[in-house]
Amino acid sequence: MLIRRRRPWDMPEASVTPEALFLDRRRVLAGLAAGSALVAGATPASADGLFGGLFSSEKKAPPAPPEPDPTADLYPATRNPAFTLDREITPESVTSTYNNFYEFGWTKGIWQTAQNLKIRPWQVRFDGLVEQEKTVDIDTLIRAMTLEERLYRHRCVEAWAMAVPWTGFPMGKLVDYARPLGSAKYVRMETFLDPDVAPGQKDTRWPWPYVEGLTMAEATNELAFMVTGIYGKPILKQYGAPLRLAVPWKYGFKSVKSIVRFSFVEERPRSFWEDLQPSEYGFWANVNPEVAHPRWSQATEELIGTGTRVPTQLYNGYGDSVASLYTGLESETLYR
Ligand code: MTE
């Protein structure tokens, strides 16, 4: 029996249409009778009941200030000049109100609902193939690292892009901290699981918690970055506070948010989106403008907040640093 699960990325109209256009359409649709087939076609009817604050992005109010952060004194960190941009930094007012964080809802306007996430205390677990399993408090972990700022491009699989100043530390340093055994081949990362706080996690059709994975070579590549801050401040909740990943040569869904667990494993982890739709989302997910998503082109990307589209670059422009990671893996599905 074929069971077709309904997911946001089954709706290319919602997924790859610039949000402003999509919301305009919603305003029109809002005038129609509730529960009409047309509304259900553009936006799953179940979502209105499932997720609070669904229309919050239309207000575009500034985000609530984060709760006090015991590591706030570490910001702003020194910018690492090795990581430069070919484009303007996307304003905070844009990136903080246009987010993918499906735990809190499936529109881009989840920033208000995400404020319910409690980010202190926050424990991070290191387990699997490590010398010794351990659980560490996020503030202890952050203070064990040297924070730096990096300007990175970010390319979502939905064909939108942004450029942001992340603050954090190289993932290689986190791997050193975890002390994995030589037999570890992959790092599996897991987001928190708390349906009382994250309404999206109440939908049991989705394989919560959100999981992502990298090979050890990817995790220790100089570009793989653990993010604790943005725009010179501790990271806001909607971006995945207090600890998220940034792997800028891959589609954004690899950059897992609000991480609570790193497991060092021998077998390739099966990630959240791969689990939901293996024909569309794979393990590698390297950006490639020539390999279309089954439902849309990846040749260009919308720079959010600008209304312009630019050509997408192979590995999102980071090929010099990462292309060699994939030598000999050509038979794999590297670009999806
Ligand atoms: N991590 C979790 N836990 N849940 C998510 O829904 N969305 C991913 C990624 N990490 C996601 C996640 C996707 S699809 C993208 S494009 C980026 O987060 C978006 O990051 P941003 O909201 O900070 O721009």
Side-chain angles (χ1 to χ4, degrees):
M1 184 171 65
L2 178 69
I3 298 174
R4 186 157 171 79
R5 293 190 238 187
R6 182 177 273 184
R7 291 136 308 148
W9 293 353
D10 273 344
M11 263 76 58
E13 184 184 26
S15 301
V16 299
T17 304
E19 187 194 34
L21 183 59
F22 176 53
L23 290 175
D24 276 353
R25 208 168 284 157
R26 292 188 63 132
R27 282 187 198 104
V28 174
L29 293 171
L32 301 175
S36 82
L38 189 56
V39 173
T43 61
S46 61
D48 283 323
L50 260 183
F51 305 118
L54 198 60
F55 296 92
S56 57
S57 68
E58 290 184 82
K59 296 176 195 145
K60 293 284 181 222
E67 57 211 42
D69 184 317
T71 61
D73 58 296
L74 302 176
Y75 302 85
T78 305
R79 182 172 293 178
N80 185 334
F83 302 95
T84 54
L85 287 175
D86 60 349
R87 54 190 67 169
E88 296 289 312
I89 291 176
T90 312
E92 183 176 8
S93 59
V94 173
T95 65
S96 63
T97 53
Y98 189 95
N99 302 97
N100 276 344
F101 204 166
Y102 289 97
E103 286 83 342
F104 293 100
W106 62 272
T107 72
K108 298 289 180 280
I110 54 74
W111 66 267
Q112 280 176 321
T113 315
Q115 303 315 311
N116 295 329
L117 180 63
K118 293 270 169 292
I119 56 170
R120 293 294 188 291
W122 188 275
Q123 308 284 307
V124 182
R125 176 89 181 142
F126 296 91
D127 60 17
L129 300 169
V130 289
E131 284 176 19
Q132 186 156 23
E133 297 191 337
K134 60 188 169 199
T135 302
V136 61
D137 182 73
I138 185 67
D139 299 315
T140 306
L141 178 66
I142 292 174
R143 288 200 183 274
M145 302 292 159
T146 303
L147 298 189
E148 63 182 67
E149 185 178 70
R150 294 184 178 188
L151 306 184
Y152 272 4
R153 292 186 291 279
H154 174 99
R155 171 56 156 84
C156 179
V157 74
E158 298 163 341
W160 58 265
M162 61 181 185
V164 290
W166 299 119
T167 303
F169 53 89
M171 187 168 184
K173 298 285 180 200
L174 179 127
V175 171
D176 291 346
Y177 185 89
R179 303 181 74 83
L181 302 176
S183 50
K185 294 200 174 74
Y186 300 91
V187 191
R188 178 188 182 278
M189 292 157 279
E190 202 176 286
T191 296
F192 72 89
L193 181 64
D194 188 350
D196 289 340
V197 163
Q201 292 182 336
K202 289 197 167 97
D203 189 337
T204 52
R205 293 170 301 175
W206 297 50
W208 307 112
Y210 197 101
V211 167
E212 260 307 338
L214 295 175
T215 64
M216 292 299 285
E218 290 176 327
T220 53
N221 180 273
E222 59 168 359
L223 278 177
F225 199 54
M226 299 311 312
V227 172
T228 61
I230 189 169
Y231 299 101
K233 299 171 288 193
I235 192 170
L236 298 178
K237 296 175 184 183
Q238 60 267 44
Y239 298 112
L243 184 67
R244 73 169 279 172
L245 177 67
V247 276
W249 72 97
K250 290 180 178 286
Y251 290 117
F253 65 87
K254 295 293 292 185
S255 292
V256 49
K257 295 181 168 185
S258 302
I259 303 170
V260 293
R261 185 175 174 198
F262 295 87
S263 304
F264 292 83
V265 295
E266 219 172 329
E267 276 195 22
R268 186 182 295 181
R270 195 167 166 81
S271 61
F272 181 81
W273 291 109
E274 195 183 1
D275 209 7
L276 276 168
Q277 187 73 319
S279 62
E280 298 193 346
Y281 309 104
F283 173 79
W284 298 101
N286 294 310
V287 175
N288 188 335
E290 290 179 7
V291 180
H293 183 279
R295 286 179 285 124
W296 58 82
S297 164
Q298 295 291 22
T300 62
E301 60 207 38
E302 167 94 18
L303 300 177
I304 56 170
T306 70
T308 55
R309 295 194 81 81
V310 297
T312 290
Q313 301 172 54
L314 181 62
Y315 296 113
N316 200 20
Y318 294 103
D320 287 352
S321 299
V322 299
S324 63
L325 291 172
Y326 306 102
T327 310
L329 291 172
E330 290 77 9
S331 61
E332 295 272 340
T333 306
L334 291 172
Y335 307 107
R336 195 187 64 214

